[in-house]
mmCIF file of all heavy atoms in Angstrom:
data_model
loop_
_atom_site.group_PDB
_atom_site.id
_atom_site.type_symbol
_atom_site.label_atom_id
_atom_site.label_comp_id
_atom_site.label_asym_id
_atom_site.label_seq_id
_atom_site.Cartn_x
_atom_site.Cartn_y
_atom_site.Cartn_z
ATOM 1 N N ILE W 179 71.584 -7.689 -219.369
ATOM 2 C CA ILE W 179 72.845 -7.835 -220.095
ATOM 3 C C ILE W 179 73.791 -6.748 -219.585
ATOM 4 O O ILE W 179 73.364 -5.617 -219.309
ATOM 5 C CB ILE W 179 72.687 -7.736 -221.639
ATOM 6 C CG1 ILE W 179 71.887 -6.495 -222.046
ATOM 7 C CG2 ILE W 179 72.090 -8.999 -222.210
ATOM 8 C CD1 ILE W 179 71.915 -6.236 -223.546
ATOM 9 N N TYR W 180 75.035 -7.116 -219.391
ATOM 10 C CA TYR W 180 76.044 -6.184 -218.865
ATOM 11 C C TYR W 180 76.988 -5.854 -220.014
ATOM 12 O O TYR W 180 77.625 -6.747 -220.569
ATOM 13 C CB TYR W 180 76.806 -6.822 -217.712
ATOM 14 C CG TYR W 180 75.891 -7.163 -216.553
ATOM 15 C CD1 TYR W 180 75.303 -8.432 -216.449
ATOM 16 C CD2 TYR W 180 75.579 -6.209 -215.593
ATOM 17 C CE1 TYR W 180 74.438 -8.734 -215.409
ATOM 18 C CE2 TYR W 180 74.717 -6.509 -214.543
ATOM 19 C CZ TYR W 180 74.146 -7.771 -214.455
ATOM 20 O OH TYR W 180 73.284 -8.062 -213.434
ATOM 21 N N VAL W 181 77.035 -4.556 -220.334
ATOM 22 C CA VAL W 181 77.767 -4.165 -221.537
ATOM 23 C C VAL W 181 78.854 -3.151 -221.210
ATOM 24 O O VAL W 181 78.601 -2.141 -220.534
ATOM 25 C CB VAL W 181 76.789 -3.541 -222.568
ATOM 26 C CG1 VAL W 181 77.522 -3.199 -223.862
ATOM 27 C CG2 VAL W 181 75.625 -4.485 -222.853
ATOM 28 N N ASP W 182 80.044 -3.441 -221.694
ATOM 29 C CA ASP W 182 81.126 -2.462 -221.616
ATOM 30 C C ASP W 182 80.894 -1.469 -222.750
ATOM 31 O O ASP W 182 81.057 -1.802 -223.930
ATOM 32 C CB ASP W 182 82.471 -3.182 -221.784
ATOM 33 C CG ASP W 182 83.651 -2.223 -221.739
ATOM 34 O OD1 ASP W 182 83.426 -0.995 -221.786
ATOM 35 O OD2 ASP W 182 84.794 -2.702 -221.663
ATOM 36 N N THR W 183 80.492 -0.251 -222.372
ATOM 37 C CA THR W 183 80.146 0.744 -223.390
ATOM 38 C C THR W 183 81.342 1.663 -223.701
ATOM 39 O O THR W 183 81.171 2.709 -224.328
ATOM 40 C CB THR W 183 78.940 1.589 -222.918
ATOM 41 O OG1 THR W 183 79.273 2.176 -221.649
ATOM 42 C CG2 THR W 183 77.690 0.744 -222.769
ATOM 43 N N CYS W 184 82.520 1.270 -223.253
ATOM 44 C CA CYS W 184 83.771 2.041 -223.444
ATOM 45 C C CYS W 184 83.567 3.472 -222.968
ATOM 46 O O CYS W 184 83.146 3.670 -221.842
ATOM 47 C CB CYS W 184 84.233 1.980 -224.895
ATOM 48 S SG CYS W 184 84.716 0.325 -225.397
ATOM 49 N N ASP W 185 83.792 4.436 -223.852
ATOM 50 C CA ASP W 185 83.730 5.827 -223.391
ATOM 51 C C ASP W 185 82.381 6.491 -223.612
ATOM 52 O O ASP W 185 82.236 7.699 -223.432
ATOM 53 C CB ASP W 185 84.838 6.642 -224.073
ATOM 54 C CG ASP W 185 86.174 6.350 -223.418
ATOM 55 O OD1 ASP W 185 86.209 6.139 -222.193
ATOM 56 O OD2 ASP W 185 87.183 6.292 -224.142
ATOM 57 N N ALA W 186 81.391 5.670 -224.012
ATOM 58 C CA ALA W 186 80.047 6.240 -224.190
ATOM 59 C C ALA W 186 79.217 5.964 -222.949
ATOM 60 O O ALA W 186 79.469 5.004 -222.221
ATOM 61 C CB ALA W 186 79.379 5.613 -225.402
ATOM 62 N N MET W 187 78.212 6.804 -222.698
ATOM 63 C CA MET W 187 77.258 6.487 -221.634
ATOM 64 C C MET W 187 76.497 5.234 -222.045
ATOM 65 O O MET W 187 76.218 4.369 -221.219
ATOM 66 C CB MET W 187 76.326 7.686 -221.415
ATOM 67 C CG MET W 187 75.386 7.532 -220.236
ATOM 68 S SD MET W 187 73.834 6.753 -220.712
ATOM 69 C CE MET W 187 72.748 7.355 -219.448
ATOM 70 N N GLY W 188 76.115 5.167 -223.312
ATOM 71 C CA GLY W 188 75.672 3.902 -223.873
ATOM 72 C C GLY W 188 74.175 3.620 -223.862
ATOM 73 O O GLY W 188 73.775 2.492 -224.142
ATOM 74 N N ALA W 189 73.363 4.622 -223.580
ATOM 75 C CA ALA W 189 71.911 4.368 -223.513
ATOM 76 C C ALA W 189 71.389 3.816 -224.848
ATOM 77 O O ALA W 189 70.694 2.792 -224.877
ATOM 78 C CB ALA W 189 71.169 5.639 -223.127
ATOM 79 N N ASN W 190 71.751 4.469 -225.945
ATOM 80 C CA ASN W 190 71.253 4.000 -227.254
ATOM 81 C C ASN W 190 71.754 2.610 -227.579
ATOM 82 O O ASN W 190 71.029 1.770 -228.120
ATOM 83 C CB ASN W 190 71.701 4.949 -228.373
ATOM 84 C CG ASN W 190 70.780 6.134 -228.456
ATOM 85 O OD1 ASN W 190 69.593 6.019 -228.139
ATOM 86 N ND2 ASN W 190 71.326 7.274 -228.839
ATOM 87 N N MET W 191 73.016 2.391 -227.234
ATOM 88 C CA MET W 191 73.644 1.097 -227.507
ATOM 89 C C MET W 191 72.897 -0.016 -226.760
ATOM 90 O O MET W 191 72.511 -1.044 -227.342
ATOM 91 C CB MET W 191 75.082 1.197 -226.996
ATOM 92 C CG MET W 191 75.984 0.086 -227.355
ATOM 93 S SD MET W 191 77.559 0.320 -226.481
ATOM 94 C CE MET W 191 78.062 1.976 -226.924
ATOM 95 N N ILE W 192 72.680 0.204 -225.472
ATOM 96 C CA ILE W 192 72.018 -0.804 -224.644
ATOM 97 C C ILE W 192 70.594 -1.048 -225.157
ATOM 98 O O ILE W 192 70.154 -2.201 -225.270
ATOM 99 C CB ILE W 192 71.948 -0.317 -223.178
ATOM 100 C CG1 ILE W 192 73.343 -0.125 -222.599
ATOM 101 C CG2 ILE W 192 71.095 -1.246 -222.324
ATOM 102 C CD1 ILE W 192 74.042 -1.355 -222.146
ATOM 103 N N ASN W 193 69.880 0.043 -225.444
ATOM 104 C CA ASN W 193 68.490 -0.119 -225.888
ATOM 105 C C ASN W 193 68.425 -0.861 -227.220
ATOM 106 O O ASN W 193 67.563 -1.715 -227.437
ATOM 107 C CB ASN W 193 67.791 1.240 -225.983
ATOM 108 C CG ASN W 193 67.682 1.908 -224.620
ATOM 109 O OD1 ASN W 193 67.791 1.232 -223.591
ATOM 110 N ND2 ASN W 193 67.466 3.209 -224.595
ATOM 111 N N THR W 194 69.360 -0.556 -228.102
ATOM 112 C CA THR W 194 69.402 -1.245 -229.399
ATOM 113 C C THR W 194 69.645 -2.736 -229.178
ATOM 114 O O THR W 194 68.975 -3.599 -229.773
ATOM 115 C CB THR W 194 70.547 -0.672 -230.278
ATOM 116 O OG1 THR W 194 70.330 0.709 -230.423
ATOM 117 C CG2 THR W 194 70.629 -1.340 -231.638
ATOM 118 N N MET W 195 70.612 -3.051 -228.321
ATOM 119 C CA MET W 195 70.936 -4.464 -228.058
ATOM 120 C C MET W 195 69.741 -5.181 -227.429
ATOM 121 O O MET W 195 69.380 -6.297 -227.835
ATOM 122 C CB MET W 195 72.131 -4.568 -227.111
ATOM 123 C CG MET W 195 73.457 -4.192 -227.745
ATOM 124 S SD MET W 195 74.753 -4.277 -226.478
ATOM 125 C CE MET W 195 76.214 -4.389 -227.504
ATOM 126 N N ALA W 196 69.127 -4.532 -226.433
ATOM 127 C CA ALA W 196 68.011 -5.176 -225.724
ATOM 128 C C ALA W 196 66.851 -5.432 -226.686
ATOM 129 O O ALA W 196 66.232 -6.509 -226.660
ATOM 130 C CB ALA W 196 67.569 -4.308 -224.553
ATOM 131 N N GLU W 197 66.578 -4.474 -227.549
ATOM 132 C CA GLU W 197 65.472 -4.666 -228.495
ATOM 133 C C GLU W 197 65.816 -5.765 -229.496
ATOM 134 O O GLU W 197 64.965 -6.567 -229.874
ATOM 135 C CB GLU W 197 65.156 -3.349 -229.216
ATOM 136 C CG GLU W 197 64.490 -2.346 -228.275
ATOM 137 C CD GLU W 197 64.002 -1.070 -228.969
ATOM 138 O OE1 GLU W 197 64.030 -1.014 -230.212
ATOM 139 O OE2 GLU W 197 63.596 -0.139 -228.238
#
Side-chain angles (χ1 to χ4, degrees):
I179 50 170
Y180 298 93
V181 183
D182 179 349
T183 56
C184 294
D185 283 325
M187 186 270 204
N190 278 330
M191 190 187 306
I192 298 280
N193 296 341
T194 303
M195 288 177 161
E197 289 187 9

